[in-house]
Amino acid sequence: MTTGLTFSKSIQRLSQRSSNVWDIHDKACARLDAGEEIHLLSVGDPDLATLDSTINHTIESLRKGRTHYSPGAGEAELLKTIAEIEAKASQKPCSPDEVLIYPGATHAIYSVMACLLDDGDEIVVPEPMYIGYHGIFDAIGAKVVNVPLEVHDNFNLDADAVKAAISENTKVLFLNTPGNPAGNMIAPEVLADLAQYCLERNIWLVCDEVYSMITYDKRHTSIRRAAAKLDNIIIIDGLSKSHAMTGWRLGWSVAPAAVTEKLLQFSSSIIFGCCQFIQDAATFALKNDEEYMNSMREEYKTRRDYAYKRLKTMPGLKCQAPQGGMFLMVDVTDIAADGFAFASDLLDKQGVSVLPGEGFGPSTKGFVRISLTLGVSELEKALDKVEQYTLSLNA
Ligand SMILES: Cc1ncc(COP(=O)(O)O)c(C=O)c1O
């Protein structure tokens, strides 16, 4: 650009973050589009379809003319449905005026952060963390203080390490359970302890629970259930992962009513209400999902068990079984310089695309993330190729 026109600090910060973490995935997609046989294990977009019944309900809703402005907080029926689900999950009352609807969890996180943080304010976040957080925290201008998860103890969160990272400048502790990328679930007693610790110091505790429905050996405990008091607690959730509805863009926050009132001032100003027929779809999906949830969980568990069984025996790879979520983290340091070198060479030699771990944080530079977004027969073909590759490196 030739003029003296300038952009906001937010855009300057976002432009400064250059990362090659998606290069391998982008290359894989281009080769796939060109007709090559590529196994895509680098995305977090579930391969499962939106239920036919939800699609039919949405079409009906469209035909009924549900194509107009919606209340800023969300449609009453959807707020009530989510409040009931949250009340059941947390064993604590939850009223519709504690819930706010956004176009996706990403937007929910951004909006909530914009209400809690000013440029330069400190947020404590365990890492490895979801890649998408970088952009949100950069846009806000938050000063991120990362706490490493215990990489060799299945990415356990050490409450004392979190407390040590919290300072008098901390305004928010941001947690994600079950976690992306490592599928780690934070124990209820740790959640309770941190909630109380933060409350005593006037620190918000925001918890991203978008993988709450995808758990394997034990069920998710929400921060709302674990915490003794909810004054400082905000939950983020959405339909992208639980209902394989990434493209519908539907997420929500749950916070005390007085907090939600403030969050609404911001979200209604910048969103002005979410799409009516998508909210109808969300209400329908949430009310009619029991069978779907069970089969979805079974399907991911079958995939996780299969992938874990295969990967842990491959020469040079180390892998721990994730407790939830849609991914497996694999330590490749015995046979590659780092995750990027491994992922890049694996794509070149075998046509399998995985994501380098460095995008999630410094602790996982020597890892790659493998998505469970293919059925077992497809996973088998992809993992056969990963095995051939590891054998060639060890030969
Ligand atoms: C931990 C986590 N939070 C939020 C999101 C974004 O969810 P949404 O599609 O609702 O914006 C993702 C997507 O991968 C995620 O992994």
Side-chain angles (χ1 to χ4, degrees), residues 41 301-322 328-330 350 352 370 372 375-391:
L41 298 178
K301 185 172 181 332
T302 306
R303 294 177 185 187
R304 181 212 55 170
D305 290 347
Y306 177 74
Y308 174 60
K309 192 173 92 197
R310 293 285 312 270
L311 286 160
K312 73 175 179 180
T313 62
M314 291 186 198
L317 301 188
K318 289 193 286 258
C319 169
Q320 302 165 91
L328 260 119
M329 289 299 275
V330 182
Q350 296 286 350
V352 180
I370 293 191
L372 299 171
V376 165
S377 61
E378 284 301 306
L379 261 182
E380 184 177 6
K381 286 187 215 152
L383 293 177
D384 284 349
K385 292 188 171 178
V386 176
E387 187 161 33
Q388 277 172 35
Y389 177 65
T390 57
L391 286 168

Side-chain angles (χ1 to χ4, degrees), residues 44-45 103-107 109 130 133 176 178-180 208 210-211 236-241 245-246 249-251 327 369:
D45 194 349
T106 302
H107 203 297
I109 299 167
Y130 167 50
Y133 295 155
N176 170 213
N180 177 4
D208 177 346
V210 298
Y211 293 100
I236 306 288
D237 208 335
L239 288 188
S240 284
K241 313 295 171 170
M245 287 172 70
T246 48
R249 311 310 300 134
L250 197 293
F327 313 102
R369 189 192 75 176

Side-chain angles (χ1 to χ4, degrees), residues 22 41 47 49 183 190 210 242 279 294 297 339 362 384 390-391 394:
W22 288 107
L41 298 178
D47 58 323
V190 173
V210 298
S242 58
Q279 292 187 73
N294 291 335
R297 228 184 257 120
D384 284 349
T390 57
L391 286 168
N394 284 277

Side-chain angles (χ1 to χ4, degrees), residues 110-376:
Y110 171 75
S111 281
V112 168
M113 290 304 129
C115 295
L116 307 184
L117 295 170
D118 285 311
D119 191 346
D121 279 345
E122 211 168 278
I123 176 167
V124 170
V125 195
E127 65 84 23
M129 67 179 192
Y130 167 50
I131 294 177
Y133 295 155
H134 289 298
I136 297 172
F137 299 148
D138 281 354
I140 300 289
K143 180 168 175 268
V144 178
V145 175
N146 277 138
V147 184
L149 293 170
E150 296 179 316
V151 171
H152 300 294
D153 188 12
N154 213 358
F155 298 89
N156 185 45
L157 179 72
D158 175 2
D160 290 337
V162 175
K163 289 177 190 171
I166 287 175
S167 74
E168 55 189 22
N169 300 321
T170 306
K171 283 195 81 177
V172 175
L173 169 62
F174 193 97
L175 300 177
N176 170 213
T177 181
N180 177 4
N184 53 304
M185 287 166 69
I186 305 174
E189 57 278 13
V190 173
L191 290 172
D193 180 21
L194 290 174
Q196 184 60 29
Y197 189 84
C198 287
L199 185 63
E200 283 163 10
R201 287 159 184 77
N202 292 318
I203 294 169
W204 297 100
L205 200 172
V206 181
C207 195
D208 177 346
E209 305 192 356
V210 298
Y211 293 100
S212 61
M213 303 311 280
I214 310 176
T215 57
Y216 301 121
D217 307 315
K218 56 181 181 221
R219 289 291 169 89
H220 163 79
T221 300
S222 81
I223 186 73
R224 214 172 174 276
R225 173 152 198 185
K229 287 191 172 160
L230 300 178
D231 308 39
N232 62 334
I233 303 294
I234 304 178
I235 287 185
I236 306 288
D237 208 335
L239 288 188
S240 284
K241 313 295 171 170
S242 58
H243 293 69
M245 287 172 70
T246 48
W248 296 73
R249 311 310 300 134
L250 197 293
W252 60 86
S253 63
V254 184
V259 177
T260 296
E261 208 181 299
K262 301 281 183 205
L263 300 180
L264 175 60
Q265 280 171 7
F266 186 79
S267 69
S268 61
S269 306
I270 61 161
I271 308 171
F272 205 56
C274 293
C275 178
Q276 282 184 319
F277 60 86
I278 300 228
Q279 292 187 73
D280 293 347
T283 309
F284 182 87
L286 287 165
K287 280 185 171 172
N288 296 279
D289 64 2
E290 205 173 317
E291 210 180 303
Y292 174 77
M293 280 303 148
N294 291 335
S295 66
M296 186 246 335
R297 228 184 257 120
E298 270 308 301
E299 175 62 26
Y300 278 119
K301 185 172 181 332
T302 306
R303 294 177 185 187
R304 181 212 55 170
D305 290 347
Y306 177 74
Y308 174 60
K309 192 173 92 197
R310 293 285 312 270
L311 286 160
K312 73 175 179 180
T313 62
M314 291 186 198
L317 301 188
K318 289 193 286 258
C319 169
Q320 302 165 91
Q323 298 167 296
M326 298 166 25
F327 313 102
L328 260 119
M329 289 299 275
V330 182
D331 182 343
V332 297
T333 40
D334 286 349
I335 47 170
D338 57 26
F340 194 89
F342 180 94
S344 180
D345 206 33
L346 177 66
L347 179 64
D348 286 350
K349 304 249 169 70
Q350 296 286 350
V352 180
S353 171
V354 298
L355 210 61
E358 68 182 56
F360 304 102
S363 298
T364 46
K365 192 167 164 40
F367 285 69
V368 294
R369 189 192 75 176
I370 293 191
S371 302
L372 299 171
T373 46
L374 294 177
V376 165

